[in-house]
């Protein structure tokens, strides 16, 4: 808006055409186009699972696309490794910063590209390194703030980020990609970073910028590309968007009514009641209740503390205070086994890392939480266990192979194994943490059907999801968590995605907010 | 309550039998490779030596293998939890000393009982250090190796303990129905271990903990207890191995079993148990034990020094681990 305008005449520096990438069980990216012009800040936005990270990984050489082309200044390129992308002038700064804490700032800035001197040019030239560090830091306007001789480990997160940007600058990289650079910064640090990015743009550097902070995106970017479900929705100049809500509409897409079964309308008695749940620095004074047959949603941004809350209810993480009651009885939950014994099930966010033992068969995974029911004196009654597992698989319309290792099944079928495990443990409170992340639309619809069917059978359901539209169509009530606190509560006649998003951002945009995680 | 849609739900994924057979063979490649290599080795030694392919020699191999077998079966349990027990050798030494002292004073049965308790006790200690203080299994058991070796040498004063009841030696040299007693002991251990892994709740929990500790924890499995139990079982089978070895030398030996950590780990990994945990069976480990024992016996008959044998076993371990790693990479799809 203020700078480089979309005049259609500037040839793109980076041209991405029809790029696609599949992982086992999920098509992460398909037919995505993107062009990055010299000296522009180009924002990449989308919900979780929209394909932003995959696209960045491809551009940074961390992974290779299955299809499509990338051209740099008109010449086709393929990046076999991160090194190849870097040598071509594309430097990516990931959320997980690549800083060696034990080395000095200067050493970090020249890392992998050390100035050499002495016989055979094999000696590290500390002077040249420090001079280069000072020069790049000055170009970023941070020469007074960061000492090239300081140990990188002593810097704040924001300063470390600046060191990484300085490293890109020292390489004279024409393209810098930033993945959620402000996610873990305080308001002040984020402002400082944005100022640096503007400065880089003025100097002609192209910046591809991924962020969940939409107001920040609108403030900084020249153009915005929206991805949804791995596909390219559109690229518009920032001026085409009035406020974050326009952007959100484009990210979320049309309401997906046909995906969602009708809500269960038989709500019963109170089942689970949580009050005063607190864990210092993570979440404070969380209170909520769920009734039989009810689906309660937890909305919020990634890192708002929702997963941590649910893990504490389930006994997987410690809590500093709070009472958990079920059916009017106070529970003493110290470990997952306590929660399971009391009929509480937790279906974790990360299937592969937490939900499944992928090397074991579907049968064994299904029985993992209820094996005691199928044992006599510690010996498993195979036939009975097998029949129970097969019965539950049938009920869930499982279409993989139970006898094979769980990893060989598709994402949707893996999720069914996790749900089936808890059906076998006779749970009546189901906590779903991001149940549909990374699975395709068809499998999502089946998960929604399972959730409503569990509710219809009288289970109390809690769903944590970062996809607001999913919650709006699934839940009876939605609580919005922001920076570890419940900010808002909505009932389904009055669901309002904009209000939910506003509440979700509320705690995080406060300059003092210390972010959980 | 539930809707049944058996027509769809019961169907398994399609695909030609040819594909599924090929997939099966790919998955089983490792499992078949070792028996084939073992058979090939037997054929080679049978052709190179007159005495190799005789009943008496196979009895010798069996007796020599049984100590290692018992230790390796316990090691399997620990490795299934993605752990490692480097202290098995020192457990064997300590148990040998304790067993000898008790047996000299109180007789054979109390000696054996003390041996088993002592072995399992050290195992529990290993498990406790690993789970409670979060010391990595490698370091914890390496340290325990030193502690228990020192203890064994201290107790024995650095010298063998003679004067065991003559009946005890029979364990090593008697036969029952033509089968040497040590082989029977190892076979029973194998049976118990395999049944425990396959049929019991503990066995399944063990593999779940090794396959994905976090998923196991979130499924309500008492991860710490399972880990401690695995090390206890390993200590127990090390004690069984020690009893066999002690009976063979008819004295308490504070330096017994020094090569067992490496040999047992080699047998387990050769048997296709993944060092990453969660995958493997005790029966395949028995084949790994057979491989190592036949190799040692055959090389002896060919007059190749035990020093060279050490080199060969070391190389075999590296090859087995490299194959396991290649397998893991393929499984994770990367």
């Amino acid at each position: 808006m203020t700078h480089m305008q979309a005049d259609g005449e500037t040839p793109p520096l980076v041209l991405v055409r029809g790029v696609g990438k599949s992982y086992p069980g999920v098509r992460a990216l398909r037919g995505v186009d993107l062009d990055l012009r010299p000296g522009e800040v180009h924002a990449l936005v989308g919900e979780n699972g929209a394909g932003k990270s995959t696209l960045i990984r491809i551009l940074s050489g961390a992974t290779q696309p299955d299809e499509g082309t990338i051209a740099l200044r008109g010449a086709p390129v393929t990046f076999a490794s991160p090194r190849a992308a870097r040598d071509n002038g594309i430097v990516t700064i990931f959320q997980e910063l690549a800083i060696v804490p034990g080395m000095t700032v200067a050493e970090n800035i020249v890392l992998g590209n050390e100035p050499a001197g002495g016989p055979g040019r094999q000696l590290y030239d500390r002077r040249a390194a420090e001079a280069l560090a000072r020069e790049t830091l000055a170009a970023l306007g941070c020469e007074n703030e960061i000492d090239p001789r300081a140990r990188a480990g002593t810097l704040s997160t924001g300063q470390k980020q600046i060191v990484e940007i300085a490293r890109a600058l020292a390489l004279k990289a024409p393209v810098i990609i930033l993945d959620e650079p402000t996610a873990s910064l305080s308001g002040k640090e984020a402002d400082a970073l944005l100022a640096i990015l503007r400065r880089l743009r003025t100097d002609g550097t192209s910046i591809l910028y991924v962020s969940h902070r939409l107001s920040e995106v609108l403030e900084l970017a020249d153009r915005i590309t929206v991805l949804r479900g791995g596909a390219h929705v559109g690229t518009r100049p920032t001026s085409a968007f009035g406020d974050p809500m326009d952007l959100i509409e484009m990210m979320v897409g049309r309401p997906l009514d046909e995906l969602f079964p009708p809500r269960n309308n038989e709500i019963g008695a109170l089942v689970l009641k949580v009050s005063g749940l607190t864990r210092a620095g993570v979440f404070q004074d969380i209170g909520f209740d769920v009734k039989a047959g009810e689906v309660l949603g937890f909305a919020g941004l990634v890192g708002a503390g929702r997963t941590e809350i649910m893990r504490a209810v389930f006994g997987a993480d410690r809590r500093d205070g709070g009472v958990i009651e079920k059916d009017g009885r106070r529970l003493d939950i110290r470990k997952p086994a306590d929660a399971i014994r009391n009929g509480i099930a937790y279906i974790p966010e990360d299937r592969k890392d937490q939900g499944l033992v992928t090397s074991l068969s579907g049968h064994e995974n299904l029985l993992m939480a209820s094996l005691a029911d199928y044992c006599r004196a510690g010996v498993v009654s195979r036939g009975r266990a097998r029949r129970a597992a097969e019965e539950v698989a049938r009920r869930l319309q499982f279409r993989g192979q139970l006898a094979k290792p769980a990893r060989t099944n598709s994402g949707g079928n893996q999720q069914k194994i996790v749900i089936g495990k808890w059906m076998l443990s006779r749970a009546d409170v189901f906590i779903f943490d991001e149940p549909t992340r990374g699975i395709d639309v068809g499998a999502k619809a089946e998960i929604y059907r399972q959730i409503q069917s569990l509710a219809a059978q009288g289970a109390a359901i809690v769903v944590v999801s970062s996809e607001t539209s999913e919650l709006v169509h699934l839940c009876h009530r939605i609580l919005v968590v922001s920076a570890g606190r419940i900010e808002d509560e909505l009932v389904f006649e009055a669901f309002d995605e904009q209000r939910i998003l506003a509440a979700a951002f509320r705690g995080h945009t406060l300059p003092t907010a210390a972010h959980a995680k | 309550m539930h809707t049944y849609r058996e027509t769809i739900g019961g169907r398994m994924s399609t695909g030609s039998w040819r594909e599924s057979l090929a997939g099966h063979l790919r998955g089983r490649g490792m499992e078949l490779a070792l028996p084939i290599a073992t058979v090939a080795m037997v054929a080679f030694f049978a052709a190179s030596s007159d005495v190799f392919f005789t009943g008496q020699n196979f009895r010798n191999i069996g007796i020599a293998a049984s100590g290692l077998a018992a230790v390796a079966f316990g090691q399997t349990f620990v490795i299934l939890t993605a752990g490692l027990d480097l202290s098995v050798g020192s457990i064997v030494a300590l148990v040998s000393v304790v067993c000898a002292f008790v047996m000299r004073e109180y007789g054979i049965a109390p000696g054996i009982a003390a041996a088993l308790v002592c072995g399992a006790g050290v195992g529990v200690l290993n498990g406790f250090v690993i789970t409670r203080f979060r010391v990595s299994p490698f370091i914890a058991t390496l340290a325990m190796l030193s502690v228990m070796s020192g203890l064994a040498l201290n107790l024995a004063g650095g010298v063998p303990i003679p004067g065991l009841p003559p009946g005890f030696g029979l364990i090593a040299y008697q036969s029952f129905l033509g089968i040497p007693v040590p082989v029977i002991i190892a076979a029973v251990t194998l049976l118990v271990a395999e049944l425990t892994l396959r049929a019991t709740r503990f066995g399944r929990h063990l593999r779940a903990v090794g396959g994905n500790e976090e998923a196991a924890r979130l499924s309500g499995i008492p991860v710490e207890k399972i880990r401690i139990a695995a090390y206890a079982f390993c200590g127990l089978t090390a004690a069984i191995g020690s009893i066999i070895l002690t009976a063979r030398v008819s004295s308490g030996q504070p330096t017994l079993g020094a090569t067992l950590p490496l040999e047992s780990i080699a047998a387990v990994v050769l048997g296709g148990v993944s060092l990453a945990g969660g995958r493997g069976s005790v029966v395949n480990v028995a084949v790994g034990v057979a491989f190592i024992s036949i190799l040692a016996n055959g090389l002896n008959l060919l007059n190749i020094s035990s020093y060279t044998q050490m080199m060969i076993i070391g190389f075999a371990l590296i090859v087995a681990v490299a194959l396991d790693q290649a397998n893991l990479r393929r499984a994770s799809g990367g």
Side-chain angles (χ1 to χ4, degrees), chain A residues 47-106:
Chain A
E47 295 196 302
N48 294 322
K52 295 167 301 192
S53 329
T54 308
L55 183 54
I56 288 184
R57 285 172 57 80
I58 287 171
L59 284 172
S60 67
T63 189
Q64 281 72 47
D66 300 335
E67 57 194 31
T69 58
I70 303 170
L72 194 67
R73 295 191 188 87
V77 285
T78 51
F79 300 143
S81 68
R83 179 88 211 187
R86 228 176 74 163
D87 291 345
N88 277 289
I90 299 182
V91 173
T92 306
I93 298 168
F94 289 100
Q95 253 179 300
E96 294 293 326
L97 294 177
I99 292 285
V100 186
M103 294 171 95
T104 67
V105 167

Side-chain angles (χ1 to χ4, degrees), chain B residues 3-333:
Chain B
T3 54
Y4 286 73
R5 302 197 184 169
E6 311 192 24
T7 45
I8 309 170
R11 290 282 288 275
M12 291 293 157
S13 71
T14 50
S16 76
W17 64 270
R18 208 186 293 266
E19 267 171 46
S20 79
L21 181 67
H24 209 71
L25 286 180
R26 252 200 312 279
R28 298 289 160 108
M30 275 288 282
E31 281 176 45
L32 286 178
L34 184 70
I36 291 169
T38 310
V39 170
M41 190 171 64
V42 167
F44 171 77
F45 285 137
S48 327
S49 161
D50 300 338
V51 275
F52 178 79
F53 209 75
T54 58
Q56 185 52 46
N57 189 47
F58 275 103
R59 286 167 59 88
N60 289 344
I61 294 174
I63 294 168
S66 48
L68 170 61
V71 175
F73 298 154
Q75 186 74 264
T76 306
F77 274 45
V78 167
I79 290 181
L80 278 173
T81 68
L84 200 63
D85 192 346
L86 298 174
S87 69
V88 284
S90 68
I91 296 178
V92 165
L94 178 68
V95 165
S96 180
V97 169
V98 169
C99 177
F101 275 132
V102 176
M103 203 169 276
R104 214 164 53 176
E105 292 298 314
Y106 303 101
I108 294 178
I112 288 175
L116 297 178
V117 169
C118 172
V122 178
V124 168
L125 195 59
N126 270 330
F128 185 76
V129 170
I130 288 162
T131 55
R132 177 58 58 89
F133 303 119
R134 310 212 172 270
V135 181
S136 77
F138 182 87
I139 297 299
T141 59
L142 184 64
M144 201 59 78
L145 163 73
S146 179
V147 172
M148 293 305 156
S149 294
L151 181 58
L153 286 163
N154 261 332
L155 286 176
V159 292
I161 301 148
L164 298 190
F168 182 55
L170 293 180
I171 288 182
Y173 297 107
Q174 277 296 55
S175 286
F176 182 72
L177 300 175
I179 303 167
V181 173
V183 175
I184 293 174
I185 295 173
V188 170
T189 311
L190 168 67
L191 197 69
V192 170
E194 183 72 10
L195 284 179
T196 303
L197 268 191
R198 282 183 181 274
T200 68
R201 190 145 69 108
F202 168 63
R204 290 188 172 213
H205 284 178
L206 196 72
R207 274 184 293 151
V209 168
N212 186 339
E213 178 172 348
E214 185 63 8
R217 201 163 85 90
L218 290 177
S219 296
I221 293 172
V223 172
E224 263 98 54
K225 279 186 204 155
I226 298 286
R227 275 192 193 286
I228 293 174
Y231 285 93
F233 184 82
C234 186
L236 188 71
T237 65
I240 293 171
S242 177
I243 291 167
I244 295 172
L245 295 171
T246 305
R248 274 177 69 194
V249 292
S250 284
S251 59
Q253 295 279 354
T255 54
L256 207 56
T259 58
L260 281 172
L262 182 90
E263 285 173 0
S264 65
I265 291 168
V268 171
V269 177
L270 282 170
V273 179
S274 172
L275 281 177
R279 250 172 347 108
S281 96
V282 187
V283 172
N284 290 338
V285 171
V287 182
V289 170
F291 181 88
I292 291 175
S293 304
I294 294 170
L295 185 69
N297 173 276
L299 293 174
N300 274 339
L301 293 180
L302 296 182
N303 278 325
I304 291 168
S305 81
S306 61
Y307 306 140
T308 309
Q309 292 175 29
M310 287 167 65
M311 294 169 65
I312 292 173
I313 288 172
F315 278 126
L317 176 59
I318 291 172
V319 169
V321 173
L323 288 174
D324 176 42
Q325 288 293 336
N327 244 6
L328 277 180
R329 266 199 301 280
R330 213 182 46 217
S332 65

